[in-house]
Amino acid sequence: MSKLVGSIAEAVKLAGVRDGMTISFHHHLRSGDFVLNLVMDEIAKLGLKDLTINASSIHPGHAPLAEHIKSGVVTCVETNYMSIEVGKTVSEGYMKKPLIFRTHGGRPSSLAAGKSHIDVAFIAAPTSDPMGNFTGKIGKSACGSLGYAFEDAYFADKVVVITDNLVPYPLTDFSVPENYVDYVVEVDAIGDPQGIVASTTKVTKDPVSLRIAELAAKAIDASGLLKDGFSFQTGAGGASLACAAYVRDIMKERGIKGSYALGGITGYIVDMYREGLFEAIQDVQCFDLKAVESLRDDPGHFEISSTQYASPTAKSNAARNLDVVVLGATQIDTDFNVNVHTDSRGYIIGGSGGHTDVAEEAKLTMIVAPVSRARMPVVVDKVLTVSTPGKDVDILVTQYGIAVNPKREDLVEQFAKARLPMKTMQELKEIADKMNGIPAEIKVNKNKIVAEVLDRLDQPLDVIYAVE
Amino acid sequence: MSKLVGSIAEAVKLAGVRDGMTISFHHHLRSGDFVLNLVMDEIAKLGLKDLTINASSIHPGHAPLAEHIKSGVVTCVETNYMSIEVGKTVSEGYMKKPLIFRTHGGRPSSLAAGKSHIDVAFIAAPTSDPMGNFTGKIGKSACGSLGYAFEDAYFADKVVVITDNLVPYPLTDFSVPENYVDYVVEVDAIGDPQGIVASTTKVTKDPVSLRIAELAAKAIDASGLLKDGFSFQTGAGGASLACAAYVRDIMKERGIKGSYALGGITGYIVDMYREGLFEAIQDVQCFDLKAVESLRDDPGHFEISSTQYASPTAKSNAARNLDVVVLGATQIDTDFNVNVHTDSRGYIIGGSGGHTDVAEEAKLTMIVAPVSRARMPVVVDKVLTVSTPGKDVDILVTQYGIAVNPKREDLVEQFAKARLPMKTMQELKEIADKMNGIPAEIKVNKNKIVAEVLDRLDQPLDVIYAVE
């Protein structure tokens, strides 16, 4: 028995894709992913329409999706993140139904509860056998963890695995076993290795970012959480890595042995693991090649599903034991609400990803951001879009000082003791306004909702309007 | 956050075990398992009654369960195998409701479909962290694969992990992740290592068994399946291993490179893997310490769930690509129906396990058995209990020759070409009768059904009556 079929078109037909169905994709190949575009081209050729795409994220490489939205092949997208390339089309009102934004933990939770449903999942697999045992760890398009693809396989009615590295049965080190897979398609390439993972991730050299990162590390230290057993998540951006670099110095200096690093993983975190600063890495996504290699080779570095990462309705998740998370913000308001969905003109340029999830779960949720960027204030009266509610944010670290959420009076004391510079949100907002002038209000078309932002439990959190 | 609770009694209460509920256990610790007995003792002490036990198998070490059946603490058992120690009590009619026999593939299929349901699963885990990431690969009670426990964790409402090797969070090489687990209990010992796995499994020295094994290997060879890519399952009994030994010789002699070995795994199969005779071992259960060590150390030897092993309703399973399986029989009748449930007096002494599953899936299903044992015929007119239907059995290999199921005329030709001795079932039955005399009919009480034998799809296949 073999599940191999000759082409994507054949798999689309065999899996029974019909008008109005929901099909899914994962984003582990990031901007290098070919699979979403290949499948959508075949679906368009077949004359199908009114499809919903449930994708864990939509990246710049998925720009051709904009045309399928305009043509009505795709009338809805459900995702956790959408970059401007497709976001622009949605923001301009071209998509028939509103986009549904979830979080990285909310998506698997919603699928498990049957609140959202996938008819056919198309899973880009860097390696698969003919029965559909698949992994992201090996192959020319290796992307490491396939954490966000587990639930597509578990919950979709039909599952199509698309691979460019077909190996003999049985693949031994699979991420998802054959019992979840219906069809396997071999193609020349599932992605462009250049786009799949950054070849390297680097610490920022920007002095403002470095100042923020250093202050963030001092705040972590002052919080009392930076001790043996410390657990940590940070992003792949230069400032986040810079914060990790300062944390690393403190840990090495004091011989602190951390427990685990979590989240999207970079080579920088791998280095910290290899230096003995963390016992383990819980990896839902690899951000660079070093992380991919490490997932393959380092015994303490292991793959977790997005449910295990951050599902709010799982019996537990790895984020629940997290001490500190360092997150970014496009905007943050005086109530600590964070926007990572829309830009200063109101366009969709991102999404929560795991932001909202980990913010709620971690003991210390810290936003690192300059008070303004490119002459636009980051600290504002009211964010355009609430991505992560202020109740889940503990502190904001800027180049001018730290603002502490009033609900965390304990931190105010600790930071004062450590002589860290503190400011109120109002003060930071005034600094931003002084630097840039008070920004004109963003004009949006309140008669047209283009996206609904759901919280971790699939409840409405905010809406995004069409740009004017 | 931690899921640790102080005792089994506390976990029983927290998990909400109540009268009439179904609780579950796995059998990977085999006869050395302490956990079923420990939990049932606490449940009895709490005065609970009318419980159903859904256990993948019941072994001799679970003898105390008989008392809980007699006292009404347990009024039903659902299992895939039950040895005589508890089987005697059931056969004598002490259990209030009929026992439900399923198969190793049917059990997870039934759970996934919601045809059977587990309220609270108690999972013996050789290693766990405080959040319930657990594995059987390491720890003083290491049993290797936990293949039959996956679905208990996936489908039970509440999951209690009981371990004697609690390790710091996070355990990296887990079999089941924390998101399925509610409570973790640490105990002194989950089992007796002497009983958990046989320290060694040995090829038989009995000349009749050796004769059968040699003939079985020749039949495999003559079937044309023994070539590169060969896949194979055999049991842990001496005769099954002897058959593997002959197959091994042929493979080595001809340089045949097999694909995978499947099923319960012994050190003998590990040796064949290490000699390069198989590329991979798909392991749902380890039968000895060498298999446990190999699962930990050999890259091609990997753990599979019972769904992946043999669920008939999974999108596929590992048995579906199996070339040859060698199975045993307590009785086999002239229609090739096999009994592995009851003995010559009608007592429950076993069960299908994976017998029925793999028999249906494999290309060549071969029963190896002498025509009689201990002066009781094995080949009979009609088996007392149908465990595996004759339609799924291709050949019977005895010391007097091979009987081929009439539906497999192709094999008759191949065996004739290879000059293998063939007999009809009728002829074998007559030989058995001549050796032992025609056996007295087994007396059972047809007014009292003590067990229902379900097929892989939860449909009635046979019933077992009380002994007289």
Side-chain angles (χ1 to χ4, degrees):
Chain A
M1 186 195 173
S2 160
K3 296 174 182 171
L4 275 180
V5 299
S7 66
I8 289 175
E10 199 182 331
V12 166
K13 284 181 220 165
L14 284 168
V17 179
R18 291 195 309 275
D19 292 353
M21 276 192 169
T22 298
I23 63 174
S24 81
F25 301 93
H26 70 74
H27 73 282
H28 288 283
L29 303 178
R30 305 179 64 77
S31 207
D33 175 46
F34 290 164
V35 165
L36 187 148
N37 298 337
L38 285 169
V39 171
M40 291 317 301
D41 283 352
E42 291 301 334
I43 280 178
K45 269 189 222 161
L46 289 167
L48 293 167
K49 57 183 192 300
D50 193 22
L51 292 163
T52 293
I53 289 187
N54 183 331
S56 48
S57 293
I58 301 289
H59 283 270
H62 299 129
L65 177 57
E67 288 312 308
H68 296 302
I69 289 171
K70 286 180 179 170
S71 70
V73 172
V74 173
T75 51
C76 185
V77 174
E78 306 184 23
T79 191
N80 313 333
Y81 178 96
M82 178 179 273
S83 63
I84 183 70
E85 290 74 11
V86 182
K88 183 169 182 292
T89 300
V90 174
S91 286
E92 287 170 353
Y94 285 103
M95 192 157 75
K96 192 173 168 192
K97 299 172 204 167
L99 185 154
I100 308 280
F101 272 120
R102 289 193 182 83
T103 69
H104 279 340
R107 181 178 187 265
S109 169
S110 177
L111 289 168
K115 291 181 184 177
S116 53
H117 181 74
I118 298 168
D119 294 302
V120 183
F122 293 91
I123 299 182
T127 294
S128 177
D129 68 30
M131 294 298 286
N133 291 299
F134 68 86
T135 182
K137 291 182 191 170
I138 50 175
K140 66 177 178 180
S141 303
C143 60
S145 176
L146 286 175
Y148 296 112
F150 280 69
E151 292 80 10
D152 297 52
Y154 292 172
F155 298 117
D157 290 339
K158 296 285 177 185
V159 174
V160 178
V161 166
I162 300 172
T163 189
D164 55 8
N165 186 36
L166 189 70
V167 296
Y169 181 86
L171 172 65
T172 57
D173 188 17
F174 54 81
S175 295
V176 173
E178 60 174 283
N179 44 291
Y180 293 106
V181 176
D182 293 280
Y183 305 104
V184 178
V185 186
E186 191 182 14
V187 296
D188 290 339
I190 60 169
D192 171 6
Q194 294 299 317
I196 291 172
V197 282
S199 59
T200 177
T201 40
K202 278 187 185 143
V203 172
T204 185
K205 286 179 179 167
D206 168 59
V208 171
S209 296
L210 283 173
R211 158 89 181 126
I212 294 170
E214 187 180 7
L215 192 52
K218 285 180 178 170
I220 292 170
D221 188 17
S223 75
L225 294 165
L226 190 50
K227 57 190 179 195
D228 283 352
F230 177 63
S231 55
F232 186 51
Q233 175 172 336
T234 188
S240 301
L241 288 181
C243 174
Y246 288 112
V247 167
R248 178 190 194 176
D249 289 343
I250 298 171
M251 291 179 82
K252 285 168 87 164
E253 199 183 299
R254 302 208 201 126
I256 293 168
K257 225 170 156 48
S259 168
Y260 66 96
L262 179 66
I265 301 300
T266 61
Y268 203 85
I269 293 293
V270 170
D271 288 339
M272 292 177 74
Y273 162 83
R274 289 180 178 166
E275 288 169 350
L277 302 180
F278 292 111
E279 293 280 352
I281 300 175
Q282 306 206 50
D283 188 342
V284 70
Q285 181 179 5
C286 295
F287 282 133
D288 58 27
L289 283 176
K290 193 168 194 174
V292 174
E293 289 159 13
S294 166
L295 180 65
R296 211 156 44 207
D297 300 336
D298 287 321
H301 184 176
F302 61 99
E303 182 180 34
I304 58 173
S305 72
S306 60
T307 300
Q308 189 176 359
Y309 171 46
S311 167
T313 54
K315 290 177 175 181
S316 69
N317 59 55
R320 197 147 301 165
N321 278 297
L322 194 63
D323 287 326
V324 176
V325 62
V326 180
L327 296 166
T330 308
Q331 292 182 311
I332 179 167
D333 68 24
T334 48
D335 292 327
F336 287 84
N337 296 303
V338 173
N339 173 19
V340 286
H341 278 91
T342 45
D343 71 5
S344 59
R345 299 167 305 158
Y347 280 92
I348 291 167
I349 47 89
S352 171
H355 196 290
T356 312
D357 299 295
V358 184
E360 185 173 6
E361 301 281 8
K363 289 192 191 71
L364 176 61
T365 296
M366 137 183 317
I367 306 295
V368 292
V371 296
S372 70
R373 277 193 201 96
R375 310 206 62 75
M376 291 301 296
V378 170
V379 184
V380 296
D381 262 334
K382 196 167 171 8
V383 289
L384 182 64
T385 309
V386 177
S387 307
T388 293
K391 72 173 176 59
D392 295 326
V393 174
D394 296 306
I395 64 171
L396 165 67
V397 182
T398 71
Q399 70 271 48
Y400 295 101
I402 303 170
V404 179
N405 192 321
K407 70 166 191 162
R408 292 301 306 269
E409 265 183 43
D410 56 320
L411 291 173
V412 174
E413 269 176 55
Q414 286 166 304
F415 294 168
K417 213 181 294 172
R419 301 187 172 202
L420 299 182
M422 282 183 281
K423 291 270 189 294
T424 65
M425 280 303 247
Q426 194 57 38
E427 287 170 331
L428 292 174
K429 190 195 106 59
E430 279 160 17
I431 293 171
D433 287 347
K434 255 182 222 159
M435 290 168 74
N436 309 294
I438 293 176
E441 204 177 330
I442 298 167
K443 282 184 191 161
V444 291
N445 176 355
K446 293 242 170 173
N447 292 317
K448 186 162 176 68
I449 291 171
V450 296
E452 294 171 8
V453 179
L454 302 183
D455 70 9
R456 301 179 74 199
L457 297 171
D458 258 17
Q459 298 301 305
L461 184 63
D462 206 345
V463 295
I464 299 173
Y465 295 104
V467 293
E468 287 234 304
Chain B
M1 187 196 171
S2 160
K3 296 174 182 171
L4 275 179
V5 299
S7 66
I8 290 175
E10 198 182 333
V12 167
K13 286 181 218 166
L14 285 168
V17 179
R18 292 194 308 274
D19 291 353
M21 276 192 169
T22 297
I23 62 174
S24 80
F25 302 92
H26 70 74
H27 73 282
H28 288 282
L29 303 179
R30 306 179 64 76
S31 207
D33 175 46
F34 290 165
V35 165
L36 187 148
N37 298 338
L38 286 169
V39 171
M40 291 318 300
D41 284 351
E42 292 300 333
I43 280 178
K45 270 190 221 160
L46 289 167
L48 294 168
K49 57 181 192 301
D50 194 22
L51 292 164
T52 293
I53 289 188
N54 182 332
S56 48
S57 293
I58 300 289
H59 284 269
H62 299 128
L65 177 57
E67 288 312 308
H68 296 303
I69 289 171
K70 288 181 179 171
S71 69
V73 173
V74 173
T75 52
C76 186
V77 173
E78 307 184 22
T79 191
N80 313 331
Y81 178 96
M82 179 180 273
S83 63
I84 183 71
E85 290 73 12
V86 182
K88 183 170 182 292
T89 300
V90 174
S91 286
E92 289 172 351
Y94 286 103
M95 194 159 72
K96 192 173 169 191
K97 301 173 204 166
L99 186 154
I100 308 280
F101 272 119
R102 291 194 180 83
T103 69
H104 279 342
R107 181 177 187 266
S109 168
S110 177
L111 288 169
K115 291 181 185 177
S116 52
H117 180 75
I118 298 168
D119 294 302
V120 183
F122 293 92
I123 300 182
T127 294
S128 176
D129 67 30
M131 295 299 286
N133 291 297
F134 68 87
T135 181
K137 291 182 191 169
I138 51 175
K140 65 177 177 179
S141 303
C143 61
S145 176
L146 285 176
Y148 296 112
F150 280 69
E151 293 79 11
D152 297 52
Y154 293 173
F155 298 117
D157 290 338
K158 296 285 176 184
V159 175
V160 178
V161 166
I162 300 172
T163 189
D164 57 8
N165 186 35
L166 189 71
V167 295
Y169 181 87
L171 173 65
T172 57
D173 187 17
F174 54 81
S175 295
V176 174
E178 61 173 286
N179 44 292
Y180 293 106
V181 176
D182 293 280
Y183 305 104
V184 178
V185 186
E186 190 181 14
V187 295
D188 289 339
I190 59 169
D192 171 5
Q194 294 298 317
I196 291 172
V197 283
S199 60
T200 176
T201 40
K202 279 190 185 138
V203 172
T204 185
K205 285 180 181 169
D206 168 59
V208 172
S209 296
L210 284 172
R211 158 89 181 128
I212 295 170
E214 186 180 8
L215 191 52
K218 285 180 178 168
I220 292 169
D221 188 15
S223 75
L225 293 165
L226 191 49
K227 58 190 180 195
D228 284 352
F230 177 64
S231 55
F232 187 50
Q233 176 171 336
T234 187
S240 301
L241 288 180
C243 175
Y246 288 112
V247 168
R248 177 191 194 172
D249 289 342
I250 299 171
M251 291 179 82
K252 285 167 87 163
E253 198 185 300
R254 304 211 199 122
I256 293 168
K257 227 171 154 47
S259 168
Y260 66 95
L262 179 66
I265 300 301
T266 61
Y268 203 86
I269 293 294
V270 170
D271 287 340
M272 292 178 74
Y273 162 84
R274 288 180 179 166
E275 288 169 352
L277 302 180
F278 293 111
E279 293 279 353
I281 300 175
Q282 306 207 48
D283 187 342
V284 71
Q285 182 177 5
C286 295
F287 282 133
D288 60 26
L289 283 176
K290 193 169 193 174
V292 174
E293 289 160 13
S294 165
L295 179 65
R296 211 155 44 208
D297 300 336
D298 287 320
H301 183 175
F302 61 98
E303 183 180 34
I304 58 174
S305 72
S306 60
T307 301
Q308 188 176 1
Y309 170 46
S311 168
T313 54
K315 289 175 175 182
S316 68
N317 59 56
R320 197 147 300 166
N321 278 297
L322 193 64
D323 287 327
V324 176
V325 63
V326 180
L327 297 167
T330 307
Q331 292 182 309
I332 178 166
D333 69 24
T334 48
D335 291 327
F336 287 85
N337 296 305
V338 174
N339 173 18
V340 286
H341 278 91
T342 46
D343 72 5
S344 58
R345 300 167 304 157
Y347 280 92
I348 291 168
I349 47 90
S352 172
H355 196 289
T356 312
D357 299 296
V358 184
E360 185 173 5
E361 301 281 8
K363 289 193 191 71
L364 176 62
T365 297
M366 142 184 312
I367 307 294
V368 292
V371 295
S372 71
R373 277 194 201 97
R375 309 205 63 76
M376 290 301 296
V378 170
V379 185
V380 294
D381 263 333
K382 195 165 170 14
V383 290
L384 182 64
T385 310
V386 177
S387 308
T388 293
K391 73 172 176 61
D392 295 327
V393 173
D394 297 305
I395 64 172
L396 166 67
V397 182
T398 72
Q399 70 270 48
Y400 295 100
I402 304 169
V404 179
N405 193 321
K407 69 165 192 164
R408 293 301 305 270
E409 265 184 43
D410 56 322
L411 290 174
V412 174
E413 270 177 56
Q414 285 167 303
F415 293 168
K417 211 181 294 171
R419 302 186 171 201
L420 300 183
M422 281 183 281
K423 291 271 189 296
T424 65
M425 280 301 240
Q426 194 58 37
E427 287 169 330
L428 291 175
K429 189 195 104 61
E430 280 160 17
I431 293 171
D433 287 348
K434 255 183 226 162
M435 292 168 73
N436 308 294
I438 292 176
E441 203 176 330
I442 298 166
K443 283 185 190 160
V444 292
N445 176 356
K446 292 241 169 170
N447 293 317
K448 185 162 176 69
I449 291 172
V450 296
E452 293 171 8
V453 179
L454 303 183
D455 71 8
R456 302 179 73 199
L457 297 171
D458 257 18
Q459 298 302 307
L461 184 63
D462 206 346
V463 295
I464 299 173
Y465 296 105
V467 293
E468 288 233 304

